[in-house]
Amino acid sequence: MSKSIFPDFLINEFARGRCVLFLGAGISATAMSDDGQHPPDWSTFISGAIKLISVKKIQKEARRYLKVGSNTLALQSIINASSRADYLQYVEKHFNNPKYKPSDVHTTIEELGAKIVITTNFDSIFDNYCRSIASQGFKVITYDNESLPDALRSDASLIIKAHGTIDNPQNMIFSKADYHKAKKDYGRFYEILKAIFITNTILFLGCGMADPDLLEILEEVKITASQEKPHYLLTTSGQSETQRKDLLDSYNVETLIYGHRHTDLLPNLIELKELVFERRRILGIH
Protein backbone atom coordinates (compact mmCIF):
# COMPACT_ATOMS: atom_id res chain seq x y z
CA MET A 1 0.00 0.00 0.00
CA SER A 2 1.40 3.40 -1.00
CA LYS A 3 2.11 6.00 1.66
CA SER A 4 -0.67 8.51 2.30
CA ILE A 5 -0.19 12.05 1.02
CA PHE A 6 -1.85 13.38 4.17
CA PRO A 7 0.51 14.40 7.00
CA ASP A 8 -0.21 12.99 10.44
CA PHE A 9 -0.50 16.55 11.75
CA LEU A 10 -3.38 17.33 9.36
CA ILE A 11 -5.23 14.13 10.27
CA ASN A 12 -4.87 14.95 13.95
CA GLU A 13 -6.07 18.54 13.45
CA PHE A 14 -9.14 17.25 11.62
CA ALA A 15 -9.88 14.61 14.24
CA ARG A 16 -9.66 17.17 17.05
CA GLY A 17 -11.91 19.68 15.27
CA ARG A 18 -9.18 22.22 14.52
CA CYS A 19 -9.33 22.01 10.71
CA VAL A 20 -11.32 24.47 8.60
CA LEU A 21 -12.13 23.69 4.97
CA PHE A 22 -11.80 26.39 2.32
CA LEU A 23 -13.68 25.53 -0.88
CA GLY A 24 -12.94 27.12 -4.26
CA ALA A 25 -14.57 26.97 -7.69
CA GLY A 26 -13.10 23.54 -8.42
CA ILE A 27 -15.49 21.98 -5.92
CA SER A 28 -18.60 23.56 -7.46
CA ALA A 29 -17.37 22.34 -10.86
CA THR A 30 -17.81 18.72 -9.72
CA ALA A 31 -21.60 19.18 -9.54
CA MET A 32 -23.55 17.87 -12.52
CA SER A 33 -26.98 18.16 -14.09
CA ASP A 34 -29.08 15.24 -15.26
CA ASP A 35 -27.90 15.86 -18.83
CA GLY A 36 -24.22 15.67 -17.84
CA GLN A 37 -23.38 19.39 -17.72
CA HIS A 38 -21.13 20.96 -15.08
CA PRO A 39 -21.16 24.52 -13.71
CA PRO A 40 -18.69 26.72 -15.62
CA ASP A 41 -15.23 27.29 -14.19
CA TRP A 42 -14.03 30.88 -13.79
CA SER A 43 -12.32 30.96 -17.17
CA THR A 44 -15.47 29.81 -18.98
CA PHE A 45 -17.67 32.19 -16.99
CA ILE A 46 -15.48 35.21 -17.73
CA SER A 47 -15.04 34.27 -21.39
CA GLY A 48 -18.81 34.27 -21.84
CA ALA A 49 -19.27 37.49 -19.87
CA ILE A 50 -16.79 39.32 -22.12
CA LYS A 51 -19.44 39.12 -24.87
CA LEU A 52 -21.53 41.55 -22.80
CA ILE A 53 -19.01 44.30 -23.60
CA SER A 54 -20.13 46.28 -26.64
CA VAL A 55 -16.83 48.08 -27.29
CA LYS A 56 -14.45 45.82 -29.27
CA LYS A 57 -11.32 47.47 -27.91
CA ILE A 58 -12.37 46.77 -24.31
CA GLN A 59 -13.39 43.24 -25.29
CA LYS A 60 -9.84 42.60 -26.55
CA GLU A 61 -8.39 44.12 -23.40
CA ALA A 62 -10.52 41.84 -21.20
CA ARG A 63 -9.49 38.78 -23.23
CA ARG A 64 -5.82 39.71 -22.77
CA TYR A 65 -6.33 39.90 -19.01
CA LEU A 66 -8.07 36.51 -19.05
CA LYS A 67 -5.31 34.95 -21.16
CA VAL A 68 -2.59 35.90 -18.68
CA GLY A 69 -4.68 34.81 -15.67
CA SER A 70 -5.67 38.27 -14.40
CA ASN A 71 -9.27 37.27 -13.70
CA THR A 72 -10.01 40.22 -11.42
CA LEU A 73 -8.94 42.74 -14.07
CA ALA A 74 -10.92 40.89 -16.75
CA LEU A 75 -14.00 41.01 -14.50
CA GLN A 76 -13.41 44.69 -13.74
CA SER A 77 -13.33 45.41 -17.48
CA ILE A 78 -16.64 43.57 -17.92
CA ILE A 79 -18.31 45.33 -14.98
CA ASN A 80 -17.09 48.76 -16.15
CA ALA A 81 -18.08 48.36 -19.78
CA SER A 82 -21.33 46.38 -19.74
CA SER A 83 -24.91 46.98 -18.66
CA ARG A 84 -25.24 46.16 -14.94
CA ALA A 85 -28.68 44.65 -15.55
CA ASP A 86 -27.30 42.38 -18.30
CA TYR A 87 -24.35 41.40 -16.13
CA LEU A 88 -26.51 40.53 -13.10
CA GLN A 89 -28.80 38.50 -15.38
CA TYR A 90 -25.74 36.61 -16.67
CA VAL A 91 -24.56 35.99 -13.10
CA GLU A 92 -28.00 34.74 -12.06
CA LYS A 93 -28.09 32.32 -14.99
CA HIS A 94 -24.74 30.74 -14.11
CA PHE A 95 -24.75 30.70 -10.31
CA ASN A 96 -28.44 30.17 -9.51
CA ASN A 97 -29.17 27.14 -11.63
CA PRO A 98 -31.10 24.45 -9.71
CA LYS A 99 -30.31 21.77 -12.30
CA TYR A 100 -26.85 21.17 -10.81
CA LYS A 101 -26.83 18.38 -8.23
CA PRO A 102 -24.16 17.87 -5.55
CA SER A 103 -21.45 15.35 -6.42
CA ASP A 104 -19.80 12.61 -4.38
CA VAL A 105 -17.08 15.19 -3.69
CA HIS A 106 -19.67 17.41 -1.96
CA THR A 107 -21.07 14.54 0.10
CA THR A 108 -17.60 13.38 1.18
CA ILE A 109 -16.63 16.92 2.20
CA GLU A 110 -19.75 17.12 4.37
CA GLU A 111 -18.96 13.72 5.91
CA LEU A 112 -15.54 14.97 7.00
CA GLY A 113 -17.41 16.89 9.67
CA ALA A 114 -15.58 20.23 9.68
CA LYS A 115 -17.47 22.66 11.92
CA ILE A 116 -16.44 25.60 9.72
CA VAL A 117 -16.36 25.66 5.93
CA ILE A 118 -15.30 28.87 4.18
CA THR A 119 -16.00 29.33 0.49
CA THR A 120 -15.63 32.00 -2.16
CA ASN A 121 -18.25 30.21 -4.31
CA PHE A 122 -21.45 32.15 -5.00
CA ASP A 123 -23.67 29.17 -5.78
CA SER A 124 -25.68 27.28 -3.14
CA ILE A 125 -24.97 23.71 -4.27
CA PHE A 126 -23.02 22.69 -1.16
CA ASP A 127 -25.08 24.93 1.15
CA ASN A 128 -28.38 23.38 0.04
CA TYR A 129 -27.01 19.86 0.31
CA CYS A 130 -25.82 20.45 3.89
CA ARG A 131 -29.15 21.96 4.87
CA SER A 132 -31.01 19.02 3.37
CA ILE A 133 -29.20 16.36 5.41
CA ALA A 134 -28.25 18.25 8.58
CA SER A 135 -29.51 16.52 11.73
CA GLN A 136 -28.73 19.59 13.85
CA GLY A 137 -28.19 23.34 13.41
CA PHE A 138 -26.55 24.47 10.18
CA LYS A 139 -25.95 28.13 9.32
CA VAL A 140 -24.85 29.94 6.17
CA ILE A 141 -23.25 33.31 6.96
CA THR A 142 -22.14 35.90 4.39
CA TYR A 143 -19.34 38.45 4.88
CA ASP A 144 -21.92 41.23 5.33
CA ASN A 145 -23.80 39.45 8.12
CA GLU A 146 -23.06 40.92 11.55
CA SER A 147 -24.05 37.70 13.35
CA LEU A 148 -20.84 35.79 12.52
CA PRO A 149 -19.28 36.17 16.02
CA ASP A 150 -22.38 34.67 17.67
CA ALA A 151 -22.58 31.91 15.04
CA LEU A 152 -18.96 30.91 15.71
CA ARG A 153 -19.77 30.44 19.41
CA SER A 154 -22.88 28.35 18.72
CA ASP A 155 -23.10 24.58 18.31
CA ALA A 156 -24.16 24.95 14.68
CA SER A 157 -21.91 24.02 11.77
CA LEU A 158 -21.11 27.02 9.57
CA ILE A 159 -20.62 27.79 5.92
CA ILE A 160 -19.02 31.22 5.61
CA LYS A 161 -19.57 32.81 2.19
CA ALA A 162 -16.52 35.08 1.99
CA HIS A 163 -17.50 36.66 -1.35
CA GLY A 164 -21.26 36.69 -0.85
CA THR A 165 -24.03 34.56 -2.31
CA ILE A 166 -26.20 34.39 -5.39
CA ASP A 167 -29.15 34.93 -3.02
CA ASN A 168 -27.99 38.58 -2.81
CA PRO A 169 -26.21 39.31 -6.12
CA GLN A 170 -25.88 43.03 -5.36
CA ASN A 171 -23.35 42.23 -2.60
CA MET A 172 -21.30 39.60 -4.42
CA ILE A 173 -17.58 40.36 -4.56
CA PHE A 174 -16.17 40.11 -8.09
CA SER A 175 -13.58 42.83 -8.48
CA LYS A 176 -10.86 44.58 -6.49
CA ALA A 177 -13.18 47.55 -6.08
CA ASP A 178 -15.85 45.25 -4.60
CA TYR A 179 -13.28 43.77 -2.21
CA HIS A 180 -11.99 47.14 -1.04
CA LYS A 181 -15.55 48.36 -0.44
CA ALA A 182 -16.37 45.20 1.52
CA LYS A 183 -13.20 45.53 3.59
CA LYS A 184 -14.06 49.16 4.37
CA ASP A 185 -17.72 48.50 5.22
CA TYR A 186 -17.28 45.12 6.94
CA GLY A 187 -13.80 45.30 8.38
CA ARG A 188 -14.76 43.19 11.40
CA PHE A 189 -15.49 40.21 9.15
CA TYR A 190 -11.94 40.24 7.77
CA GLU A 191 -10.49 40.49 11.28
CA ILE A 192 -12.56 37.45 12.30
CA LEU A 193 -11.50 35.61 9.14
CA LYS A 194 -7.87 36.32 9.96
CA ALA A 195 -8.42 35.04 13.51
CA ILE A 196 -9.86 31.80 12.12
CA PHE A 197 -6.76 31.38 9.95
CA ILE A 198 -4.48 32.02 12.93
CA THR A 199 -6.21 29.61 15.33
CA ASN A 200 -7.00 26.74 12.93
CA THR A 201 -5.39 24.66 10.22
CA ILE A 202 -6.92 25.43 6.81
CA LEU A 203 -7.27 22.80 4.08
CA PHE A 204 -7.85 24.41 0.65
CA LEU A 205 -9.88 22.34 -1.82
CA GLY A 206 -10.62 23.30 -5.43
CA CYS A 207 -8.66 26.55 -5.07
CA GLY A 208 -6.31 27.98 -7.69
CA MET A 209 -4.60 30.13 -5.04
CA ALA A 210 -4.57 33.15 -7.35
CA ASP A 211 -7.21 35.17 -5.48
CA PRO A 212 -5.40 38.36 -4.37
CA ASP A 213 -7.80 38.82 -1.43
CA LEU A 214 -7.05 35.35 -0.07
CA LEU A 215 -3.32 35.76 -0.58
CA GLU A 216 -3.40 39.08 1.27
CA ILE A 217 -5.01 37.41 4.30
CA LEU A 218 -2.53 34.51 4.19
CA GLU A 219 0.38 36.94 3.99
CA GLU A 220 -0.89 38.86 7.03
CA VAL A 221 -1.43 35.61 8.95
CA LYS A 222 2.07 34.41 8.09
CA ILE A 223 3.54 37.57 9.58
CA THR A 224 1.41 37.26 12.72
CA ALA A 225 1.35 33.51 13.46
CA SER A 226 3.82 30.67 14.04
CA GLN A 227 5.36 29.14 10.91
CA GLU A 228 5.79 25.70 12.45
CA LYS A 229 2.22 24.69 11.62
CA PRO A 230 1.31 25.16 7.95
CA HIS A 231 -1.99 25.28 6.12
CA TYR A 232 -2.50 22.82 3.26
CA LEU A 233 -3.56 22.93 -0.39
CA LEU A 234 -4.84 19.73 -1.97
CA THR A 235 -4.24 19.97 -5.71
CA THR A 236 -3.12 18.16 -8.85
CA SER A 237 0.46 17.84 -10.06
CA GLY A 238 -0.02 20.84 -12.37
CA GLN A 239 1.86 23.22 -10.08
CA SER A 240 5.59 23.68 -10.59
CA GLU A 241 8.13 23.21 -7.81
CA THR A 242 8.70 26.98 -7.86
CA GLN A 243 4.98 27.65 -7.32
CA ARG A 244 4.83 25.16 -4.45
CA LYS A 245 7.89 26.67 -2.78
CA ASP A 246 6.47 30.18 -3.16
CA LEU A 247 3.19 29.12 -1.52
CA LEU A 248 5.09 27.69 1.43
CA ASP A 249 7.67 30.46 1.78
CA SER A 250 5.33 33.40 1.18
CA TYR A 251 2.02 32.15 2.62
CA ASN A 252 2.87 29.10 4.79
CA VAL A 253 0.72 26.82 2.62
CA GLU A 254 2.08 23.32 2.04
CA THR A 255 1.02 21.62 -1.20
CA LEU A 256 -0.34 18.05 -1.18
CA ILE A 257 -0.44 16.46 -4.65
CA TYR A 258 -3.39 14.10 -5.05
CA GLY A 259 -2.77 13.00 -8.65
CA HIS A 260 -2.59 14.07 -12.29
CA ARG A 261 -6.34 14.41 -12.96
CA HIS A 262 -9.19 16.16 -11.19
CA THR A 263 -11.00 12.80 -10.99
CA ASP A 264 -8.29 11.69 -8.56
CA LEU A 265 -9.68 14.09 -5.94
CA LEU A 266 -12.59 11.96 -4.75
CA PRO A 267 -10.63 8.80 -3.82
CA ASN A 268 -8.15 10.95 -1.92
CA LEU A 269 -10.92 12.74 -0.02
CA ILE A 270 -12.44 9.34 0.86
CA GLU A 271 -9.03 8.21 2.12
CA LEU A 272 -8.74 11.37 4.24
CA LYS A 273 -12.20 10.78 5.68
CA GLU A 274 -11.30 7.20 6.63
CA LEU A 275 -8.03 8.32 8.25
CA VAL A 276 -9.84 11.03 10.23
CA PHE A 277 -12.58 8.63 11.36
CA GLU A 278 -9.96 6.09 12.49
CA ARG A 279 -8.04 8.76 14.41
CA ARG A 280 -11.22 9.92 16.13
CA ARG A 281 -11.94 6.32 17.12
CA ILE A 282 -8.46 5.95 18.62
CA LEU A 283 -8.80 9.27 20.48
CA GLY A 284 -12.31 8.45 21.67
CA ILE A 285 -13.81 11.46 19.89
CA HIS A 286 -17.38 11.11 18.59
Side-chain angles (χ1 to χ4, degrees), residues 48-62:
I50 287 173
K51 297 172 185 175
L52 298 173
I53 301 173
S54 57
V55 181
K56 296 297 182 183
K57 180 180 178 181
I58 303 177
Q59 269 194 9
K60 290 180 181 179
E61 179 183 85

PDB file of all heavy atoms in Angstrom, residues 48-62:
ATOM      1  N   GLY A  48     -17.456  33.996 -21.377  1.00  0.00           N
ATOM      2  CA  GLY A  48     -18.811  34.274 -21.836  1.00  0.00           C
ATOM      3  C   GLY A  48     -19.253  35.686 -21.500  1.00  0.00           C
ATOM      4  O   GLY A  48     -19.916  36.350 -22.304  1.00  0.00           O
ATOM      5  N   ALA A  49     -18.862  36.157 -20.313  1.00  0.00           N
ATOM      6  CA  ALA A  49     -19.269  37.495 -19.867  1.00  0.00           C
ATOM      7  C   ALA A  49     -18.634  38.592 -20.712  1.00  0.00           C
ATOM      8  O   ALA A  49     -19.202  39.689 -20.843  1.00  0.00           O
ATOM      9  CB  ALA A  49     -18.904  37.684 -18.390  1.00  0.00           C
ATOM     10  N   ILE A  50     -17.467  38.325 -21.281  1.00  0.00           N
ATOM     11  CA  ILE A  50     -16.789  39.322 -22.123  1.00  0.00           C
ATOM     12  C   ILE A  50     -17.685  39.739 -23.302  1.00  0.00           C
ATOM     13  O   ILE A  50     -17.628  40.882 -23.768  1.00  0.00           O
ATOM     14  CB  ILE A  50     -15.431  38.774 -22.613  1.00  0.00           C
ATOM     15  CG1 ILE A  50     -14.433  38.750 -21.443  1.00  0.00           C
ATOM     16  CG2 ILE A  50     -14.869  39.613 -23.763  1.00  0.00           C
ATOM     17  CD1 ILE A  50     -13.106  38.077 -21.758  1.00  0.00           C
ATOM     18  N   LYS A  51     -18.538  38.826 -23.742  1.00  0.00           N
ATOM     19  CA  LYS A  51     -19.439  39.124 -24.868  1.00  0.00           C
ATOM     20  C   LYS A  51     -20.457  40.200 -24.511  1.00  0.00           C
ATOM     21  O   LYS A  51     -21.117  40.758 -25.399  1.00  0.00           O
ATOM     22  CB  LYS A  51     -20.137  37.848 -25.312  1.00  0.00           C
ATOM     23  CG  LYS A  51     -19.182  36.783 -25.838  1.00  0.00           C
ATOM     24  CD  LYS A  51     -19.896  35.467 -26.088  1.00  0.00           C
ATOM     25  CE  LYS A  51     -18.909  34.386 -26.498  1.00  0.00           C
ATOM     26  NZ  LYS A  51     -19.557  33.066 -26.643  1.00  0.00           N
ATOM     27  N   LEU A  52     -20.609  40.495 -23.220  1.00  0.00           N
ATOM     28  CA  LEU A  52     -21.535  41.551 -22.798  1.00  0.00           C
ATOM     29  C   LEU A  52     -20.974  42.939 -23.079  1.00  0.00           C
ATOM     30  O   LEU A  52     -21.706  43.927 -23.068  1.00  0.00           O
ATOM     31  CB  LEU A  52     -21.829  41.430 -21.295  1.00  0.00           C
ATOM     32  CG  LEU A  52     -22.499  40.144 -20.814  1.00  0.00           C
ATOM     33  CD1 LEU A  52     -22.560  40.122 -19.280  1.00  0.00           C
ATOM     34  CD2 LEU A  52     -23.898  39.997 -21.405  1.00  0.00           C
ATOM     35  N   ILE A  53     -19.662  43.015 -23.316  1.00  0.00           N
ATOM     36  CA  ILE A  53     -19.013  44.296 -23.599  1.00  0.00           C
ATOM     37  C   ILE A  53     -19.267  44.679 -25.054  1.00  0.00           C
ATOM     38  O   ILE A  53     -18.982  43.894 -25.976  1.00  0.00           O
ATOM     39  CB  ILE A  53     -17.489  44.206 -23.345  1.00  0.00           C
ATOM     40  CG1 ILE A  53     -17.216  43.824 -21.890  1.00  0.00           C
ATOM     41  CG2 ILE A  53     -16.809  45.528 -23.683  1.00  0.00           C
ATOM     42  CD1 ILE A  53     -15.751  43.552 -21.596  1.00  0.00           C
ATOM     43  N   SER A  54     -19.784  45.858 -25.273  1.00  0.00           N
ATOM     44  CA  SER A  54     -20.132  46.275 -26.642  1.00  0.00           C
ATOM     45  C   SER A  54     -18.952  46.894 -27.391  1.00  0.00           C
ATOM     46  O   SER A  54     -18.921  46.894 -28.621  1.00  0.00           O
ATOM     47  CB  SER A  54     -21.301  47.267 -26.613  1.00  0.00           C
ATOM     48  OG  SER A  54     -20.973  48.395 -25.811  1.00  0.00           O
ATOM     49  N   VAL A  55     -17.973  47.423 -26.651  1.00  0.00           N
ATOM     50  CA  VAL A  55     -16.826  48.084 -27.290  1.00  0.00           C
ATOM     51  C   VAL A  55     -15.734  47.043 -27.574  1.00  0.00           C
ATOM     52  O   VAL A  55     -15.209  46.415 -26.654  1.00  0.00           O
ATOM     53  CB  VAL A  55     -16.260  49.202 -26.385  1.00  0.00           C
ATOM     54  CG1 VAL A  55     -15.086  49.892 -27.063  1.00  0.00           C
ATOM     55  CG2 VAL A  55     -17.358  50.214 -26.046  1.00  0.00           C
ATOM     56  N   LYS A  56     -15.404  46.865 -28.861  1.00  0.00           N
ATOM     57  CA  LYS A  56     -14.454  45.823 -29.272  1.00  0.00           C
ATOM     58  C   LYS A  56     -13.087  45.990 -28.630  1.00  0.00           C
ATOM     59  O   LYS A  56     -12.439  45.004 -28.244  1.00  0.00           O
ATOM     60  CB  LYS A  56     -14.306  45.839 -30.799  1.00  0.00           C
ATOM     61  CG  LYS A  56     -15.571  45.485 -31.560  1.00  0.00           C
ATOM     62  CD  LYS A  56     -16.015  44.060 -31.266  1.00  0.00           C
ATOM     63  CE  LYS A  56     -17.260  43.692 -32.070  1.00  0.00           C
ATOM     64  NZ  LYS A  56     -17.751  42.335 -31.731  1.00  0.00           N
ATOM     65  N   LYS A  57     -12.648  47.216 -28.494  1.00  0.00           N
ATOM     66  CA  LYS A  57     -11.325  47.473 -27.912  1.00  0.00           C
ATOM     67  C   LYS A  57     -11.257  46.961 -26.467  1.00  0.00           C
ATOM     68  O   LYS A  57     -10.266  46.347 -26.048  1.00  0.00           O
ATOM     69  CB  LYS A  57     -11.026  48.975 -27.960  1.00  0.00           C
ATOM     70  CG  LYS A  57      -9.666  49.352 -27.388  1.00  0.00           C
ATOM     71  CD  LYS A  57      -9.447  50.856 -27.463  1.00  0.00           C
ATOM     72  CE  LYS A  57      -8.102  51.249 -26.835  1.00  0.00           C
ATOM     73  NZ  LYS A  57      -7.886  52.716 -26.878  1.00  0.00           N
ATOM     74  N   ILE A  58     -12.332  47.210 -25.713  1.00  0.00           N
ATOM     75  CA  ILE A  58     -12.366  46.768 -24.313  1.00  0.00           C
ATOM     76  C   ILE A  58     -12.544  45.255 -24.245  1.00  0.00           C
ATOM     77  O   ILE A  58     -12.002  44.591 -23.351  1.00  0.00           O
ATOM     78  CB  ILE A  58     -13.474  47.507 -23.541  1.00  0.00           C
ATOM     79  CG1 ILE A  58     -13.260  49.014 -23.627  1.00  0.00           C
ATOM     80  CG2 ILE A  58     -13.498  47.065 -22.074  1.00  0.00           C
ATOM     81  CD1 ILE A  58     -14.348  49.827 -22.958  1.00  0.00           C
ATOM     82  N   GLN A  59     -13.259  44.697 -25.212  1.00  0.00           N
ATOM     83  CA  GLN A  59     -13.385  43.236 -25.292  1.00  0.00           C
ATOM     84  C   GLN A  59     -12.011  42.590 -25.424  1.00  0.00           C
ATOM     85  O   GLN A  59     -11.677  41.634 -24.724  1.00  0.00           O
ATOM     86  CB  GLN A  59     -14.246  42.835 -26.498  1.00  0.00           C
ATOM     87  CG  GLN A  59     -15.711  42.695 -26.213  1.00  0.00           C
ATOM     88  CD  GLN A  59     -16.443  41.969 -27.347  1.00  0.00           C
ATOM     89  OE1 GLN A  59     -15.822  41.432 -28.263  1.00  0.00           O
ATOM     90  NE2 GLN A  59     -17.763  41.965 -27.282  1.00  0.00           N
ATOM     91  N   LYS A  60     -11.197  43.136 -26.335  1.00  0.00           N
ATOM     92  CA  LYS A  60      -9.845  42.599 -26.546  1.00  0.00           C
ATOM     93  C   LYS A  60      -8.992  42.742 -25.295  1.00  0.00           C
ATOM     94  O   LYS A  60      -8.224  41.846 -24.948  1.00  0.00           O
ATOM     95  CB  LYS A  60      -9.179  43.314 -27.732  1.00  0.00           C
ATOM     96  CG  LYS A  60      -9.778  42.975 -29.087  1.00  0.00           C
ATOM     97  CD  LYS A  60      -9.056  43.727 -30.204  1.00  0.00           C
ATOM     98  CE  LYS A  60      -9.656  43.406 -31.563  1.00  0.00           C
ATOM     99  NZ  LYS A  60      -8.977  44.166 -32.663  1.00  0.00           N
ATOM    100  N   GLU A  61      -9.142  43.876 -24.623  1.00  0.00           N
ATOM    101  CA  GLU A  61      -8.389  44.122 -23.397  1.00  0.00           C
ATOM    102  C   GLU A  61      -8.760  43.080 -22.334  1.00  0.00           C
ATOM    103  O   GLU A  61      -7.885  42.507 -21.668  1.00  0.00           O
ATOM    104  CB  GLU A  61      -8.713  45.526 -22.891  1.00  0.00           C
ATOM    105  CG  GLU A  61      -8.011  45.916 -21.611  1.00  0.00           C
ATOM    106  CD  GLU A  61      -8.441  47.301 -21.148  1.00  0.00           C
ATOM    107  OE1 GLU A  61      -9.488  47.380 -20.448  1.00  0.00           O
ATOM    108  OE2 GLU A  61      -7.782  48.281 -21.498  1.00  0.00           O
ATOM    109  N   ALA A  62     -10.062  42.814 -22.189  1.00  0.00           N
ATOM    110  CA  ALA A  62     -10.524  41.838 -21.200  1.00  0.00           C
ATOM    111  C   ALA A  62     -10.013  40.444 -21.536  1.00  0.00           C
ATOM    112  O   ALA A  62      -9.625  39.676 -20.646  1.00  0.00           O
ATOM    113  CB  ALA A  62     -12.050  41.847 -21.129  1.00  0.00           C
TER     114      ALA A  62
END
